[in-house]
Amino acid sequence: MLGKIIKILVVAIFVVSLIIYIGVQMFMRGGLPEYSGKVTVDDGTLGADVRVIRDKYGVPHITGETEKDVYFALGYVHAQERLFQMVLTRLVVQGRLCELVGDAPLSSSFGHATILAQDRFNRIIGFKQLAKAGGKLMSPETVSLLDSYTAGVNTYIKTAKKLPPEFTLLGYEPEPWTREDTISLGRFMAWGLSSNWKRELYRLAAIGELGLERGWEFLPRYPDHGPYIIEPDVKKYDPRGKTIRKNPLPVPPETLKWPVIKALLDVDIPIEGLPIMRGTDIASNSWVVSGAHSRSGAPILANDPHLVHTLPSVFFQAHLKTTDGALDAIGVTFPGIPCMMLGHNRNVAWSATTTRADTQDLFVERVNPDNPDQYFYMNGWRDFDKRDEVIKIKTDDGYREEKLVVRSTIHGPVLNDVLGVVAENAPPVALRWTGQSPSQDLDGFFAMARSKNAADYRNAVAYIGVPVQNWVYADREGNIGYIASGYYPLRTRSDGTLPVPGWSGFYDWRGFVPYSELPRLENPSNGIIITANNAVVPEKDYPFIVSFSYKYYRALRIKELLASKEKFTADDMRKFQVDHLTKQGERLTPVFLTAFENAGDKNDNLAVEAAKALSKWDFQAAPDSVGAAIFHTAYAEAVKLMYSDDVSRPLLSYILGASGIEPALDIAFETGENSFFDKSDTEKKETRDDILAEAVSVAAHRLAKRFGNNLKKWKWGKIHILRLAHPFSNRK
């Protein structure tokens, strides 16, 4: 009898488990898009039949009689496949995520904050208000196309048999999509490509901890060296007497205490797993060669944008075509934004990388001691502009509301109003950002897709104010070109490296660099253009400030690859895109090995073996590479050993998380000249070799602790891991 009972229980458990499994599968798959059949739209928003065919990769190819109909279908398809992503992003942008999930701690490698703090911050930046202002500048044609796209999204929301399961699980019904939603997503995308305000705070905090000279030594400007996008031997500019002060300090470091700086750094951090472009030190590559360098005699353009890898992707690939041939473009869009951001049509191809332009400044304001509602500007006291915001926060039994007063000065919104008691006695810090100035970005992006030649494309790019990007293009006629288009601040006194006083007016922006004077190339004499977030032009030779923060090694490697042959094919470019030789490793591995030979502990057998393995490394960062694992681990340990005795741990962790110190740091590793090599907590005067040798030893023991003493198991692919997760998968 006991045996029968056990069998019955086992069968029952199996059947119940199977039913639960099938039920969960049916529930989770219920919101998947339908890829076959016919959808009838009878509300007049669609003018004629549109055909959507998905290829073997799932990419939709959309064909219709008019652009309006094509963009209607794109809106429908975006919503079919990415509705939850679109709605989630919209809530983040508008500072309404608490409506969906309530408040909760939010942690990442960049710091610690809460969802509510992020909602407050995004309300203060005011993406929704910026969208309303930008919408007033759009051409009637763009308004019409955007409204068709919006109608397509809303048609799916209204007619879908079942929406994605997240909506059911969260008990949330999506609101209709609006024109302003798309525009605000565009501004948010531009915000994600603008990060300099944090670097100003890093540097101010470093000067506060280390003093003026060493603070600048810790966080110097980018060394003004190539490879440049516009090399001086290809095109020269007139600096017009431009001077750059060596170590400016517009406001004393004690103006902003560390708790205030830390809180500001914490509040605007990326939400892990969220498929939107934001808050990371993103990077991209692109290059183009003229027909003189290709086997076919036609230009070849390559682009690999390194945005954060998420599921679903930040991008949405699509092919858009009208039957009259006016539009026939394939490339990538962003869910929620119908424009073809990167891609090509029958006549023009275009690509983008971030210019790393400095488009943000922090202004420290002075408050009237007799009236906290006023701040001083030039000749007298002015009232803060104020805007009331109400944030709804989901709770276990409904919602609670929080009121937020957003203050602004002539320079922009006051950021530290989001911090509460932490910033109680701190002066207001206002943000000036080029994205606060309306521009006709969507007009430009729509025009890109229908460009007939290079001239058309340049005319389209002229409309785009934000984000500032390195736009590279090629056309069927054989033209190639480059333009770093967008709004660049015209600064008269500051160089954008530190917060500045707001009360004097001396540091105010005087407008933007004229479009005609932006960095550009058209059919350069060498027939090659490379952009990989490297320096645009020699900063000392260009009359305006572009940036003091660039990347170095990828452009160097691309330049090397494009010098490897006289003629290239598209297959060559594909191989170059997946090349993983590290020029940094090639440059510094001999330095680490020499340091270990001179100052390393030869009785540390594990370290000796690690150095021996490193000496055999071919500088390829392949997944099975032992050398790559040792080098990158040793490099990270060297940075910690070099700075941890001088710089506070919180500040160092922020800077390491955001990167930006490696160009100058690598010069120090190579030359041995830097005051931070000497440890302040020892009597000995340490040198570069002491630090790097110890770093090899520490790295060897760290890897052994993780993977064992067998060096063959120390593989780069086990360290360099991409984890893809739903944004709510690691939250209650």
Side-chain angles (χ1 to χ4, degrees):
M1 179 63 69
L2 182 60
K4 289 182 178 179
I5 291 173
I6 291 173
K7 287 180 181 178
I8 291 170
L9 285 173
V10 169
V11 171
I13 291 170
F14 174 78
V15 171
V16 171
S17 299
L18 183 62
I19 291 171
I20 292 172
Y21 174 79
I22 293 171
V24 169
Q25 288 294 317
M26 290 176 65
F27 171 74
M28 295 301 291
R29 296 178 66 84
L32 291 178
E34 295 182 5
Y35 279 0
S36 60
K38 182 181 290 188
V39 176
T40 301
V41 180
D42 55 9
D43 60 1
T45 53
L46 187 64
D49 287 355
V50 180
R51 184 172 61 173
V52 180
I53 297 174
R54 288 175 174 82
D55 61 26
K56 64 180 180 180
Y57 300 106
V59 175
H61 299 255
I62 302 172
T63 305
E65 288 187 14
T66 66
E67 285 191 55
K68 287 187 64 174
D69 290 345
V70 167
Y71 285 114
F72 177 96
L74 179 63
Y76 187 92
V77 169
H78 271 178
Q80 264 192 315
E81 303 205 22
R82 303 289 189 88
L83 183 61
F84 184 69
Q85 176 185 1
M86 292 165 63
V87 170
L88 189 61
T89 306
R90 173 173 63 183
L91 291 173
V92 171
V93 171
Q94 294 180 0
R96 297 173 54 201
L97 191 56
C98 279
E99 286 183 30
L100 186 68
V101 296
D103 191 20
L106 180 65
S107 64
S108 85
S109 57
F110 288 84
H112 303 275
T114 65
I115 291 175
L116 178 56
Q118 284 216 331
D119 275 357
R120 292 184 190 129
F121 187 83
N122 288 340
R123 296 289 183 103
I124 285 175
I125 301 300
F127 295 106
K128 191 173 182 179
Q129 285 72 30
L130 296 178
K132 290 179 180 178
K136 295 175 182 177
L137 293 183
M138 291 192 306
S139 69
E141 182 181 21
T142 294
V143 170
S144 177
L145 295 178
L146 195 50
D147 285 347
S148 291
Y149 172 81
T150 298
V153 174
N154 291 328
T155 295
Y156 180 76
I157 293 174
K158 287 186 293 185
T159 62
K161 295 177 182 176
K162 188 174 182 181
L163 295 178
E166 289 94 340
F167 291 111
T168 302
L169 292 169
L170 292 166
Y172 186 84
E173 185 173 333
E175 301 165 358
W177 196 259
T178 69
R179 186 192 307 163
E180 285 74 24
D181 291 337
T182 291
I183 304 171
S184 65
L185 258 63
R187 289 283 134 163
F188 192 74
M189 179 188 75
W191 174 261
L193 292 164
S194 309
S195 60
N196 184 68
W197 71 274
K198 289 191 174 184
R199 294 183 188 278
E200 294 181 23
L201 292 177
Y202 296 148
R203 189 170 281 115
L204 187 67
I207 292 171
E209 290 188 7
L210 301 165
L212 183 61
E213 295 299 323
R214 295 196 84 210
W216 271 100
E217 184 184 17
F218 177 56
L219 277 177
R221 299 179 183 89
Y222 180 84
D224 198 5
H225 59 59
Y228 301 104
I229 297 173
I230 302 178
E231 294 283 2
D233 60 350
V234 175
K235 184 176 182 179
K236 287 183 181 288
Y237 284 92
D238 177 8
R240 299 179 201 167
K242 174 183 175 183
T243 58
I244 299 171
R245 290 180 59 195
K246 183 182 178 184
N247 293 333
L249 187 59
V251 296
E254 60 269 19
T255 303
L256 292 176
K257 303 294 185 184
W258 172 246
V260 176
I261 292 177
K262 181 181 182 302
L264 283 170
L265 294 174
D266 275 349
V267 78
D268 183 42
I269 59 176
I271 300 175
E272 293 174 352
L274 193 65
I276 52 180
M277 179 166 50
R278 183 183 187 195
T280 57
D281 202 15
I282 51 184
S284 301
N285 302 330
S286 76
W287 60 89
V288 64
V289 299
S290 70
H293 295 286
S294 76
R295 290 257 185 99
S296 67
I300 307 175
L301 184 147
N303 187 203
D304 52 325
H306 302 169
L307 301 189
V308 178
H309 287 296
T310 57
L311 276 180
S313 171
V314 172
F315 290 123
F316 185 96
Q317 194 170 5
H319 178 196
L320 310 177
K321 182 179 180 180
T322 56
T323 52
D324 63 2
L327 175 68
D328 189 359
I330 189 165
V332 293
T333 62
F334 293 111
I337 304 176
C339 308
M340 193 72 70
M341 299 294 184
L342 314 169
H344 64 88
N345 58 31
R346 297 290 177 182
N347 300 301
V348 184
W350 62 96
S351 66
T353 64
T354 187
T355 311
R356 299 182 69 86
D358 182 354
T359 59
Q360 298 172 331
D361 278 346
L362 294 178
F363 288 81
V364 180
E365 309 289 10
R366 181 178 290 166
V367 176
N368 187 344
D370 299 321
N371 184 354
D373 291 328
Q374 292 184 325
Y375 68 99
F376 191 83
Y377 181 68
M378 294 183 71
N379 299 315
W381 299 106
R382 295 191 178 203
D383 292 336
F384 285 100
D385 291 327
K386 293 185 177 181
R387 185 180 77 246
D388 293 330
E389 295 275 354
V390 178
I391 301 176
K392 290 177 62 178
I393 305 159
K394 190 175 183 180
T395 62
D396 291 338
D397 55 356
Y399 293 91
R400 66 180 175 89
E401 291 187 349
E402 176 188 280
K403 292 184 179 180
L404 174 68
V405 178
V406 178
R407 294 186 298 167
S408 295
T409 72
I410 194 170
H411 302 114
V414 175
L415 297 187
N416 44 347
D417 281 353
V418 75
L419 305 181
V421 294
V422 175
E424 205 166 69
N425 298 314
V429 180
L431 172 75
R432 181 74 170 98
W433 171 45
T434 55
Q436 294 156 350
S437 300
S439 51
Q440 296 173 263
D441 310 320
L442 292 179
D443 288 351
F445 284 119
F446 277 122
M448 277 185 186
R450 63 175 86 94
S451 299
K452 293 182 174 61
N453 51 43
D456 274 359
Y457 181 78
R458 288 193 297 271
N459 291 336
V461 170
Y463 285 103
I464 300 172
V466 294
V468 175
Q469 292 283 277
N470 293 313
W471 296 104
V472 173
Y473 58 90
D475 72 5
R476 184 177 286 278
E477 297 169 13
N479 297 298
I480 66 171
Y482 160 79
I483 182 166
S485 183
Y487 288 161
Y488 293 75
L490 280 173
R491 299 177 175 93
T492 52
R493 288 214 175 187
S494 77
D495 61 6
T497 54
L498 282 163
V500 296
W503 53 84
S504 66
F506 294 156
Y507 294 92
D508 288 5
W509 294 359
R510 310 299 181 191
F512 302 114
V513 176
Y515 179 75
S516 61
E517 299 193 56
L518 295 180
R520 68 174 72 203
L521 287 172
E522 294 174 22
N523 297 316
S525 56
N526 62 349
I528 295 175
I529 301 171
I530 298 168
T531 84
N533 318 118
N534 52 312
V536 176
V537 291
E539 201 67 37
K540 62 179 174 30
D541 295 339
Y542 186 63
F544 312 107
I545 291 170
V546 177
S547 177
F548 294 108
S549 174
Y550 291 114
K551 297 297 184 179
Y552 175 60
Y553 292 108
R554 283 175 288 114
L556 195 66
R557 177 58 175 162
I558 295 165
K559 185 176 181 180
E560 185 176 77
L561 290 169
L562 293 180
S564 63
K565 294 170 67 173
E566 290 186 6
K567 304 278 187 178
F568 298 97
T569 66
D571 283 337
D572 291 326
M573 301 307 186
R574 293 187 185 99
K575 291 175 184 175
F576 294 166
Q577 284 184 325
V578 296
D579 175 81
H580 45 51
L581 184 139
T582 164
K583 296 296 291 182
Q584 185 188 43
E586 184 181 64
R587 176 188 186 183
L588 295 178
T589 294
V591 178
F592 274 82
L593 291 173
T594 299
F596 188 79
E597 181 64 30
N598 293 340
D601 182 0
K602 306 307 187 297
N603 294 319
D604 185 343
N605 294 331
L606 204 58
V608 170
E609 288 299 310
K612 189 182 296 183
L614 189 59
S615 69
K616 298 176 182 177
W617 185 34
D618 59 1
F619 314 121
Q620 299 287 341
D624 61 352
S625 172
V626 173
I630 295 171
F631 172 78
H632 288 293
T633 306
Y635 185 94
E637 295 301 331
V639 177
K640 294 174 190 174
L641 289 167
M642 187 174 172
Y643 293 122
S644 59
D645 59 314
D646 292 291
V647 182
S648 66
R649 182 177 296 180
L651 177 58
L652 184 58
S653 67
Y654 281 112
I655 291 170
L656 293 179
S659 93
I661 62 173
E662 65 275 7
L665 181 62
D666 290 358
I667 293 175
F669 283 164
E670 194 170 49
T671 63
E673 297 175 3
N674 194 289
S675 70
F676 289 96
F677 287 128
D678 182 28
K679 294 183 179 181
S680 59
D681 53 359
T682 67
E683 293 183 3
K684 177 186 175 183
K685 184 176 177 59
E686 286 84 7
T687 66
R688 182 269 315 270
D689 285 359
D690 293 318
I691 296 297
L692 299 191
E694 186 179 353
V696 172
S697 181
V698 173
H701 287 274
R702 187 175 294 278
L703 290 167
K705 185 177 181 180
R706 184 173 178 183
F707 301 115
N709 289 346
N710 184 353
L711 270 67
K712 292 181 179 179
K713 294 184 178 181
W714 299 1
K715 296 183 178 181
W716 177 232
K718 291 184 178 180
I719 299 173
H720 192 265
I721 296 171
L722 171 67
R723 290 183 173 87
L724 295 167
H726 191 288
F728 297 152
S729 65
N730 58 349
R731 301 281 180 267
K732 288 185 180 180

